[in-house]
């Protein structure tokens, strides 16, 4: 039993620094209209969770622009449709859209953009989505985001 407790204590200590450093992630987007991940887990211990979108392609943002928008899974389709109407000047996100938890601007190849997600806005048991609202992209460029342990 003593040995087991010692092992558990060691694991807890070893995990702590990594946990603290996990309040950030990077999502890559490319010229093939793809994100390099389908899911993001936000650690409950973070106050703010930082997501950096990195466009690793070469195409300009007018042709293959990408952004990263976070909403509930339920709001995604409507937010995406309103974003398309809002147009490129608004980074394909309707102005002051309360359904949008966070979003980056639209970027082109070689660029990157970072957003901060207030973790208090992410509820346990609710499914969230991250997606690219550049017209025609959300069908492929989407993934799920949820609150983790
Ligand atoms: Co895109």
């Amino acid at each position: 039993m003593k040995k087991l407790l010692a092992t558990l204590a060691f694991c807890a200590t070893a995990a702590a620094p990594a946990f603290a450093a996990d309040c950030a992630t990077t999502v890559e987007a490319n010229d093939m209209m793809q994100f390099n991940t389908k899911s993001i887990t936000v650690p409950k211990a973070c106050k703010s969770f930082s997501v950096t979108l990195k466009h690793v392609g070469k195409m300009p943002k007018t042709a293959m622009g990408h952004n990263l928008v976070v909403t509930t899974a339920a709001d995604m389709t409507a937010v995406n449709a309103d974003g398309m109407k809002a147009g490129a000047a608004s980074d394909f996100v309707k102005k002051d859209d309360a359904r949008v938890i966070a979003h980056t601007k639209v970027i082109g190849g070689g660029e990157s953009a970072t957003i901060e997600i207030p973790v208090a806005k992410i509820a346990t048991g609710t499914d969230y989505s991250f997606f690219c609202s550049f017209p025609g992209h959300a069908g492929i460029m989407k993934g799920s985001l949820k609150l983790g342990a």
Side-chain angles (χ1 to χ4, degrees):
M1 191 61 195
K2 246 180 191 168
K3 199 173 181 185
L4 178 64
L5 284 175
T7 308
L8 286 172
F10 175 77
C11 288
T13 310
F19 201 73
D22 276 352
C23 295
T25 194
T26 297
V27 176
E28 291 182 0
N30 62 21
D31 284 343
M32 310 275 280
M33 209 195 290
Q34 292 163 332
F35 284 136
N36 70 341
T37 183
K38 288 283 174 199
S39 71
I40 297 173
T41 301
V42 177
K44 219 180 249 179
C46 302
K47 274 203 168 65
S48 184
F49 187 74
S50 164
V51 180
T52 297
L53 173 65
K54 190 176 173 196
H55 193 321
V56 297
K58 289 187 161 62
M59 291 173 73
K61 71 175 185 179
T62 46
M64 186 54 71
H66 301 305
N67 64 5
L68 190 147
V69 182
V70 179
T71 65
T72 62
D75 283 339
M76 177 186 150
T77 303
V79 168
N80 186 50
D82 287 345
M84 205 178 304
K85 284 183 218 154
S90 304
D91 290 305
F92 300 108
V93 176
K94 185 178 152 190
K95 197 175 186 296
D96 299 327
D97 191 334
R99 297 166 301 181
V100 174
I101 294 160
H103 76 91
T104 69
K105 61 180 183 172
V106 173
I107 58 172
E111 297 181 314
S112 63
T114 301
I115 48 169
E116 291 292 333
I117 299 172
V119 178
K121 285 194 173 182
I122 307 296
T124 308
T126 302
D127 294 326
Y128 298 86
S129 296
F130 68 92
F131 62 97
C132 174
S133 66
F134 191 94
H137 287 199
I140 298 166
M141 298 189 76
K142 64 181 174 187
S144 67
L145 183 147
K146 61 177 173 46
L147 197 63

